[in-house]
Coordinates of all heavy atoms in Angstrom, one line a residue:
M1 N 92.2 -44.4 80.4 CA 92.7 -44.7 79.0 C 93.8 -45.8 79.1 O 94.5 -45.8 80.0 CB 93.3 -43.5 78.4 CG 92.3 -42.4 78.0 SD 93.0 -41.1 77.0 CE 93.4 -40.0 78.4
E2 N 93.8 -46.6 78.1 CA 94.9 -47.6 78.1 C 95.6 -47.6 76.6 O 94.9 -47.2 75.7 CB 94.3 -49.0 78.4 CG 93.4 -49.5 77.3 CD 92.8 -50.9 77.6 OE1 92.0 -51.0 78.6 OE2 93.1 -51.9 76.9
V3 N 96.8 -48.0 76.7 CA 97.5 -48.1 75.4 C 97.1 -49.4 74.7 O 96.9 -50.4 75.3 CB 99.0 -48.1 75.7 CG1 99.7 -48.3 74.4 CG2 99.5 -46.8 76.3
T4 N 96.8 -49.3 73.4 CA 96.3 -50.5 72.7 C 97.1 -50.8 71.6 O 97.8 -49.9 71.0 CB 94.8 -50.2 72.1 OG1 94.9 -49.1 71.3 CG2 93.9 -49.9 73.2
E5 N 97.0 -52.1 71.1 CA 97.8 -52.5 69.8 C 96.7 -52.3 68.7 O 95.5 -52.4 68.9 CB 98.2 -53.9 69.9 CG 99.3 -54.1 71.0 CD 99.8 -55.6 70.8 OE1 99.6 -56.2 69.8 OE2 100.2 -56.1 71.9
R6 N 97.2 -51.9 67.6 CA 96.4 -51.7 66.4 C 96.3 -53.0 65.6 O 97.1 -53.4 65.0 CB 96.8 -50.6 65.5 CG 96.9 -49.2 66.3 CD 97.2 -48.1 65.5 NE 96.3 -48.1 64.3 CZ 96.5 -47.8 63.1 NH1 97.7 -47.4 62.8 NH2 95.6 -47.7 62.2
N7 N 95.1 -53.7 65.6 CA 94.9 -54.8 64.8 C 93.9 -54.7 63.7 O 94.1 -55.3 62.6 CB 94.5 -56.1 65.8 CG 95.6 -56.4 66.8 OD1 96.7 -56.3 66.5 ND2 95.1 -56.7 67.9
A8 N 92.9 -54.0 63.9 CA 91.8 -53.8 63.0 C 92.0 -52.6 62.1 O 92.7 -51.7 62.6 CB 90.5 -53.7 63.7
P9 N 91.6 -52.7 60.8 CA 91.7 -51.5 60.0 C 91.0 -50.3 60.6 O 90.0 -50.5 61.2 CB 91.0 -51.9 58.7 CG 90.8 -53.3 58.8 CD 90.9 -53.8 60.2
S10 N 91.5 -49.0 60.4 CA 91.0 -47.9 61.0 C 90.7 -46.9 60.0 O 91.3 -46.8 59.0 CB 91.8 -47.3 62.2 OG 93.1 -47.1 61.6
R11 N 89.7 -46.0 60.4 CA 89.3 -44.8 59.6 C 89.8 -43.6 60.2 O 89.6 -43.4 61.5 CB 87.8 -44.8 59.3 CG 87.3 -45.9 58.6 CD 85.8 -45.7 58.3 NE 85.3 -47.0 57.7 CZ 84.1 -47.2 57.4 NH1 83.1 -46.3 57.9 NH2 83.7 -48.3 56.8
E12 N 90.4 -42.7 59.6 CA 90.9 -41.5 60.1 C 89.7 -40.5 60.2 O 89.0 -40.1 59.2 CB 92.0 -40.8 59.2 CG 92.6 -39.5 59.8 CD 93.7 -39.0 58.9 OE1 94.6 -39.8 58.6 OE2 93.7 -37.8 58.6
L13 N 89.4 -40.0 61.5 CA 88.3 -39.1 61.6 C 88.8 -37.6 61.7 O 88.0 -36.8 61.3 CB 87.7 -39.4 62.9 CG 87.0 -40.8 63.1 CD1 86.4 -41.0 64.5 CD2 86.0 -41.1 62.0
A14 N 90.0 -37.4 62.2 CA 90.6 -36.1 62.2 C 92.1 -36.2 62.3 O 92.7 -37.2 62.8 CB 90.1 -35.3 63.4
Q15 N 92.7 -35.0 61.9 CA 94.2 -35.0 61.8 C 94.7 -33.6 62.3 O 94.0 -32.6 61.8 CB 94.8 -35.5 60.5 CG 96.3 -35.5 60.4 CD 96.9 -34.2 59.9 OE1 96.3 -33.3 59.4 NE2 98.2 -34.1 60.2
R16 N 95.7 -33.5 62.9 CA 96.3 -32.1 63.3 C 97.7 -32.3 63.6 O 98.2 -33.4 63.9 CB 95.5 -31.4 64.4 CG 95.8 -32.0 65.8 CD 95.1 -31.2 66.9 NE 95.2 -31.8 68.1 CZ 96.2 -31.5 69.0 NH1 97.2 -30.7 68.6 NH2 96.2 -32.1 70.2
L17 N 98.5 -31.2 63.5 CA 99.9 -31.1 64.0 C 100.0 -30.3 65.3 O 99.3 -29.2 65.4 CB 100.8 -30.5 63.0 CG 101.0 -31.4 61.7 CD1 101.8 -30.5 60.7 CD2 101.6 -32.6 61.9
S18 N 100.8 -30.7 66.2 CA 101.1 -30.0 67.5 C 102.7 -30.0 67.5 O 103.2 -31.0 68.0 CB 100.5 -30.7 68.6 OG 100.8 -30.0 69.8
G19 N 103.3 -29.0 67.0 CA 104.7 -28.9 67.0 C 105.2 -29.9 65.9 O 104.7 -29.9 64.8
T20 N 106.0 -30.9 66.4 CA 106.4 -32.0 65.4 C 105.6 -33.2 65.7 O 105.9 -34.2 65.0 CB 107.9 -32.3 65.7 OG1 108.1 -32.8 67.1 CG2 108.8 -31.1 65.5
D21 N 104.6 -33.2 66.5 CA 103.6 -34.3 66.7 C 102.5 -34.3 65.7 O 101.8 -33.3 65.6 CB 103.1 -34.4 68.1 CG 104.1 -34.7 69.1 OD1 105.1 -35.3 68.7 OD2 103.9 -34.2 70.3
E22 N 102.3 -35.4 65.0 CA 101.1 -35.6 64.2 C 100.1 -36.3 65.1 O 100.4 -37.4 65.7 CB 101.4 -36.5 63.0 CG 100.2 -36.8 62.2 CD 100.5 -37.7 61.0 OE1 101.1 -38.8 61.3 OE2 100.1 -37.4 59.9
V23 N 98.8 -35.7 65.2 CA 97.8 -36.3 66.1 C 96.7 -36.8 65.2 O 96.2 -35.9 64.3 CB 97.3 -35.3 67.1 CG1 96.3 -35.9 68.0 CG2 98.5 -34.7 67.9
L24 N 96.3 -38.0 65.3 CA 95.3 -38.6 64.6 C 94.2 -39.2 65.5 O 94.5 -39.8 66.4 CB 95.7 -39.7 63.7 CG 96.8 -39.5 62.6 CD1 97.2 -40.8 61.9 CD2 96.3 -38.4 61.6
L25 N 92.9 -38.9 65.1 CA 91.8 -39.5 65.7 C 91.3 -40.6 64.8 O 90.9 -40.4 63.7 CB 90.7 -38.5 66.0 CG 89.5 -39.0 66.8 CD1 89.9 -39.5 68.2 CD2 88.4 -38.0 66.9
L26 N 91.3 -41.9 65.3 CA 91.0 -43.0 64.5 C 89.8 -43.7 65.0 O 89.6 -43.8 66.3 CB 92.3 -44.0 64.4 CG 93.6 -43.3 63.9 CD1 94.7 -44.2 64.1 CD2 93.4 -42.9 62.5
W27 N 89.1 -44.4 64.2 CA 87.9 -45.3 64.5 C 88.2 -46.6 63.9 O 88.4 -46.6 62.7 CB 86.6 -44.6 64.1 CG 85.4 -45.5 64.3 CD1 85.1 -46.2 65.5 CD2 84.3 -45.8 63.4 NE1 83.9 -46.8 65.4 CE2 83.5 -46.6 64.1 CE3 84.2 -45.4 62.1 CZ2 82.3 -47.1 63.4 CZ3 83.0 -45.9 61.5 CH2 82.1 -46.7 62.2
Q28 N 88.0 -47.7 64.7 CA 88.1 -49.0 64.1 C 86.7 -49.6 64.1 O 86.2 -50.1 65.2 CB 89.1 -49.9 65.0 CG 90.4 -49.4 64.9 CD 91.3 -50.2 65.9 OE1 90.9 -50.9 66.8 NE2 92.6 -50.0 65.8
P29 N 86.0 -49.5 63.0 CA 84.6 -49.9 62.9 C 84.3 -51.3 63.2 O 83.2 -51.6 63.7 CB 84.1 -49.5 61.5 CG 85.4 -49.4 60.7 CD 86.5 -49.0 61.7
E30 N 85.2 -52.2 62.8 CA 85.0 -53.7 63.1 C 84.8 -54.0 64.5 O 84.2 -54.9 64.9 CB 86.1 -54.5 62.4 CG 86.0 -54.4 60.9 CD 87.2 -55.2 60.3 OE1 87.9 -56.0 61.0 OE2 87.3 -55.1 59.0
I31 N 85.5 -53.2 65.4 CA 85.5 -53.5 66.8 C 85.0 -52.3 67.6 O 85.0 -52.3 68.8 CB 86.9 -54.0 67.4 CG1 87.9 -52.9 67.1 CG2 87.2 -55.3 66.8 CD1 89.3 -53.1 67.6
D32 N 84.5 -51.3 66.9 CA 83.9 -50.1 67.4 C 84.8 -49.5 68.5 O 84.3 -49.2 69.7 CB 82.5 -50.4 68.0 CG 81.7 -49.1 68.2 OD1 82.0 -48.1 67.5 OD2 80.8 -49.0 69.1
R33 N 86.1 -49.2 68.1 CA 87.0 -48.7 69.0 C 87.5 -47.3 68.4 O 87.7 -47.2 67.3 CB 88.2 -49.6 69.1 CG 89.3 -49.0 70.1 CD 90.6 -49.9 70.1 NE 90.2 -51.3 70.2 CZ 91.0 -52.1 70.7 NH1 92.2 -51.8 71.2 NH2 90.6 -53.5 70.7
V34 N 87.7 -46.3 69.4 CA 88.1 -45.0 69.0 C 89.5 -44.9 69.7 O 89.7 -45.2 70.8 CB 87.2 -43.9 69.5 CG1 87.8 -42.5 69.1 CG2 85.9 -44.1 68.8
E35 N 90.6 -44.4 68.9 CA 91.9 -44.2 69.6 C 92.5 -43.0 69.1 O 92.2 -42.4 68.0 CB 92.7 -45.5 69.3 CG 93.0 -45.6 67.9 CD 93.9 -46.9 67.8 OE1 93.9 -47.8 68.6 OE2 94.5 -47.1 66.7
L36 N 93.4 -42.4 69.8 CA 94.2 -41.3 69.5 C 95.6 -41.9 69.1 O 96.2 -42.7 69.9 CB 94.3 -40.4 70.7 CG 94.9 -39.0 70.5 CD1 94.0 -38.2 69.6 CD2 95.1 -38.4 71.8
S37 N 96.1 -41.4 68.0 CA 97.5 -41.9 67.5 C 98.4 -40.6 67.6 O 98.0 -39.6 67.0 CB 97.4 -42.4 66.2 OG 98.7 -42.6 65.6
V38 N 99.5 -40.7 68.2 CA 100.4 -39.6 68.2 C 101.8 -40.1 67.7 O 102.3 -41.1 68.2 CB 100.6 -39.0 69.6 CG1 101.6 -37.8 69.6 CG2 99.2 -38.6 70.2
R39 N 102.3 -39.4 66.7 CA 103.7 -39.7 66.2 C 104.5 -38.5 66.0 O 104.1 -37.5 65.4 CB 103.5 -40.4 64.9 CG 104.8 -40.9 64.2 CD 104.5 -41.8 63.0 NE 103.8 -41.0 62.0 CZ 104.4 -40.5 60.9 NH1 105.7 -40.6 60.7 NH2 103.7 -39.7 60.0
D40 N 105.7 -38.5 66.5 CA 106.8 -37.5 66.3 C 107.2 -37.6 64.9 O 107.9 -38.7 64.6 CB 107.8 -37.6 67.3 CG 108.8 -36.5 67.3 OD1 109.4 -36.1 66.2 OD2 109.1 -35.8 68.3
L41 N 107.1 -36.6 64.1 CA 107.5 -36.6 62.7 C 108.9 -36.7 62.5 O 109.5 -37.0 61.5 CB 106.8 -35.5 61.9 CG 105.3 -35.5 61.8 CD1 104.7 -34.3 61.2 CD2 104.8 -36.8 61.1
V42 N 109.7 -36.2 63.5 CA 111.2 -36.1 63.4 C 111.8 -37.5 63.8 O 112.6 -38.0 63.1 CB 111.7 -35.0 64.3 CG1 113.2 -35.0 64.3 CG2 111.3 -33.6 63.8
T43 N 111.4 -38.0 64.9 CA 111.9 -39.3 65.4 C 111.2 -40.6 64.9 O 111.8 -41.6 64.9 CB 112.0 -39.4 67.0 OG1 110.7 -39.4 67.5 CG2 112.7 -38.1 67.5
G44 N 109.9 -40.4 64.6 CA 109.1 -41.5 64.2 C 108.6 -42.3 65.4 O 107.7 -43.2 65.3
A45 N 109.0 -41.9 66.6 CA 108.3 -42.6 67.8 C 106.9 -42.1 67.9 O 106.5 -41.0 67.6 CB 109.1 -42.1 69.1
G46 N 106.1 -43.1 68.5 CA 104.7 -42.8 68.6 C 104.0 -43.8 69.5 O 104.5 -44.7 70.0
F47 N 102.7 -43.5 69.7 CA 101.9 -44.4 70.4 C 100.4 -44.3 70.0 O 100.0 -43.3 69.3 CB 102.0 -44.1 71.9 CG 101.7 -42.7 72.4 CD1 100.4 -42.4 72.8 CD2 102.6 -41.7 72.3 CE1 100.1 -41.1 73.1 CE2 102.3 -40.4 72.6 CZ 101.0 -40.1 73.0
H48 N 99.6 -45.2 70.5 CA 98.1 -45.2 70.3 C 97.4 -45.4 71.6 O 97.9 -46.3 72.4 CB 97.6 -46.3 69.4 CG 98.2 -46.2 68.0 ND1 97.5 -45.8 66.9 CD2 99.4 -46.6 67.4 CE1 98.2 -45.7 65.9 NE2 99.3 -46.4 66.1
I49 N 96.5 -44.6 71.9 CA 95.7 -44.7 73.2 C 94.3 -44.8 72.8 O 93.7 -44.0 72.1 CB 95.9 -43.4 74.1 CG1 97.4 -43.4 74.4 CG2 95.1 -43.6 75.4 CD1 97.7 -42.1 75.3
E50 N 93.6 -45.8 73.4 CA 92.2 -46.0 73.3 C 91.5 -44.9 74.2 O 91.9 -44.6 75.2 CB 91.7 -47.4 73.7 CG 90.2 -47.6 73.6 CD 89.8 -49.0 73.9 OE1 90.7 -49.9 74.2 OE2 88.6 -49.2 73.9
V51 N 90.4 -44.3 73.5 CA 89.7 -43.3 74.2 C 88.2 -43.6 74.2 O 87.8 -44.2 73.3 CB 89.9 -41.8 73.6 CG1 91.3 -41.4 73.9 CG2 89.6 -41.7 72.2
A52 N 87.5 -43.3 75.2 CA 86.1 -43.5 75.1 C 85.4 -42.6 74.2 O 85.8 -41.4 74.0 CB 85.5 -43.1 76.6
P53 N 84.5 -43.0 73.3 CA 83.9 -42.2 72.3 C 83.4 -40.9 72.8 O 83.6 -39.9 72.1 CB 82.7 -43.0 71.8 CG 83.1 -44.5 72.1 CD 83.8 -44.4 73.4
G54 N 82.9 -40.7 74.0 CA 82.4 -39.4 74.5 C 83.5 -38.5 74.8 O 83.3 -37.3 75.0
D55 N 84.8 -39.0 74.9 CA 85.9 -38.2 75.3 C 86.8 -37.9 74.0 O 87.9 -37.3 74.2 CB 86.8 -38.9 76.4 CG 86.1 -39.0 77.7 OD1 85.2 -38.2 78.0 OD2 86.4 -40.0 78.4
A56 N 86.5 -38.5 72.9 CA 87.3 -38.4 71.7 C 87.7 -37.0 71.3 O 88.8 -36.7 71.0 CB 86.6 -39.1 70.5
N57 N 86.7 -36.1 71.3 CA 87.0 -34.7 70.8 C 87.9 -34.0 71.8 O 88.8 -33.3 71.5 CB 85.7 -33.9 70.6 CG 85.1 -34.2 69.2 OD1 85.7 -34.5 68.3 ND2 83.7 -34.1 69.3
D58 N 87.7 -34.2 73.1 CA 88.6 -33.6 74.1 C 90.0 -34.1 74.0 O 90.9 -33.3 74.1 CB 87.9 -33.8 75.5 CG 86.7 -33.0 75.8 OD1 86.5 -32.0 75.1 OD2 86.0 -33.4 76.7
A59 N 90.1 -35.4 73.8 CA 91.4 -36.0 73.8 C 92.2 -35.5 72.5 O 93.3 -35.2 72.5 CB 91.4 -37.6 73.7
F60 N 91.5 -35.4 71.4 CA 92.0 -34.9 70.2 C 92.4 -33.5 70.2 O 93.5 -33.1 69.8 CB 91.1 -35.2 69.0 CG 91.6 -34.6 67.6 CD1 92.5 -35.4 67.0 CD2 91.2 -33.4 67.2 CE1 93.1 -34.9 65.8 CE2 91.6 -32.9 65.9 CZ 92.6 -33.7 65.2
N61 N 91.6 -32.7 70.9 CA 91.8 -31.3 70.9 C 92.7 -30.8 72.0 O 93.0 -29.6 72.2 CB 90.6 -30.5 70.9 CG 89.8 -30.6 69.6 OD1 90.4 -30.4 68.5 ND2 88.5 -31.0 69.6
H62 N 93.1 -31.7 72.9 CA 94.0 -31.3 74.0 C 95.2 -30.7 73.5 O 95.8 -31.2 72.5 CB 94.3 -32.6 74.9 CG 94.8 -32.2 76.2 ND1 96.2 -31.9 76.4 CD2 94.3 -32.1 77.4 CE1 96.3 -31.6 77.7 NE2 95.2 -31.7 78.4
R63 N 95.7 -29.6 74.0 CA 96.8 -28.8 73.5 C 98.1 -29.6 73.5 O 99.0 -29.4 72.7 CB 97.0 -27.5 74.1 CG 97.3 -27.5 75.6 CD 97.4 -26.1 76.2 NE 97.6 -26.1 77.5 CZ 98.9 -26.1 78.1 NH1 100.0 -26.0 77.4 NH2 99.0 -26.3 79.4
T64 N 98.3 -30.5 74.4 CA 99.5 -31.4 74.5 C 99.0 -32.8 74.6 O 98.4 -33.1 75.7 CB 100.5 -31.0 75.7 OG1 99.7 -31.0 76.9 CG2 101.1 -29.6 75.5
P65 N 99.3 -33.6 73.6 CA 98.8 -34.9 73.7 C 99.3 -35.7 74.8 O 100.5 -35.5 75.2 CB 99.3 -35.5 72.3 CG 99.6 -34.4 71.5 CD 100.0 -33.3 72.4
M66 N 98.5 -36.5 75.5 CA 98.9 -37.2 76.6 C 99.9 -38.3 76.2 O 99.7 -38.9 75.1 CB 97.7 -37.9 77.3 CG 96.8 -36.9 77.9 SD 95.3 -37.7 78.6 CE 96.1 -38.5 80.1
R67 N 100.9 -38.6 76.9 CA 101.9 -39.6 76.5 C 101.8 -40.7 77.5 O 101.8 -40.5 78.7 CB 103.3 -38.9 76.5 CG 103.4 -37.9 75.4 CD 104.9 -37.5 75.3 NE 104.9 -36.3 74.3 CZ 105.0 -36.6 73.0 NH1 105.0 -37.7 72.5 NH2 105.1 -35.5 72.2
P68 N 102.0 -41.9 77.1 CA 102.1 -43.1 78.0 C 103.5 -43.2 78.6 O 104.4 -42.4 78.2 CB 101.9 -44.3 77.0 CG 102.3 -43.8 75.7 CD 102.1 -42.3 75.6
R69 N 103.7 -44.1 79.5 CA 104.9 -44.4 80.0 C 106.0 -44.7 79.0 O 105.6 -45.3 77.9 CB 104.9 -45.6 81.0 CG 103.9 -45.4 82.2 CD 104.0 -46.6 83.2 NE 104.2 -47.9 82.5 CZ 103.1 -48.7 82.3 NH1 101.9 -48.3 82.5 NH2 103.3 -49.8 81.7
A70 N 107.2 -44.4 79.2 CA 108.2 -44.7 78.3 C 108.3 -46.1 77.7 O 108.7 -46.3 76.6 CB 109.6 -44.1 78.8
D71 N 108.1 -47.1 78.6 CA 108.2 -48.5 78.2 C 107.0 -48.9 77.3 O 107.1 -50.1 76.8 CB 108.3 -49.4 79.4 CG 106.9 -49.4 80.3 OD1 106.3 -48.4 80.2 OD2 106.8 -50.3 81.0
T72 N 106.1 -48.1 76.9 CA 105.0 -48.5 76.0 C 105.1 -47.8 74.7 O 104.4 -48.0 73.8 CB 103.6 -48.1 76.6 OG1 103.6 -46.7 76.8 CG2 103.4 -48.9 77.9
L73 N 106.1 -47.0 74.5 CA 106.4 -46.2 73.2 C 106.8 -47.2 72.1 O 107.5 -48.1 72.4 CB 107.3 -45.1 73.3 CG 106.9 -43.9 74.3 CD1 108.0 -42.9 74.4 CD2 105.7 -43.3 73.8
T74 N 106.5 -46.9 70.9 CA 107.0 -47.7 69.8 C 107.8 -46.8 68.9 O 107.6 -45.6 68.8 CB 105.8 -48.2 68.9 OG1 105.0 -47.1 68.4 CG2 105.0 -49.1 69.8
A75 N 108.8 -47.3 68.1 CA 109.6 -46.6 67.3 C 109.2 -46.9 65.8 O 108.6 -47.9 65.5 CB 111.0 -47.0 67.4

């Protein structure tokens, strides 16, 4: 998985809360990309990670969202 920048409009496929984290499964149809978006609702910090379409449900349903290195986080 790699951290990606969001350029294309996306469609929300699923949404859930995990503690204070909002987890979204997004699809960018123009470029056929699926990504996981995680945002801390208290601090506003978050990240987006591209996931393979076949792994999207597993990534979304993982009990603790995977986090990238600290230098890739956005506020």
Side-chain angles (χ1 to χ4, degrees):
M1 288 189 270
E2 68 181 66
V3 176
T4 60
E5 291 184 31
R6 297 186 60 217
N7 297 323
S10 57
R11 295 184 185 171
E12 184 178 309
L13 301 177
Q15 183 270 343
R16 70 178 177 89
L17 290 176
S18 178
T20 62
D21 290 333
E22 176 185 52
V23 183
L24 302 174
L25 184 61
L26 304 169
W27 175 49
Q28 298 174 349
E30 291 179 12
I31 56 176
D32 198 27
R33 181 185 316 204
V34 178
E35 64 183 19
L36 191 66
S37 169
V38 179
R39 181 173 62 103
D40 186 307
L41 297 175
V42 174
T43 67
F47 60 92
H48 296 263
I49 299 176
E50 183 175 354
V51 295
D55 296 331
N57 282 330
D58 289 338
F60 177 76
N61 290 311
H62 196 278
R63 64 182 175 92
T64 54
M66 297 179 69
R67 296 188 184 276
R69 297 184 322 264
D71 62 338
T72 62
L73 294 177
T74 59

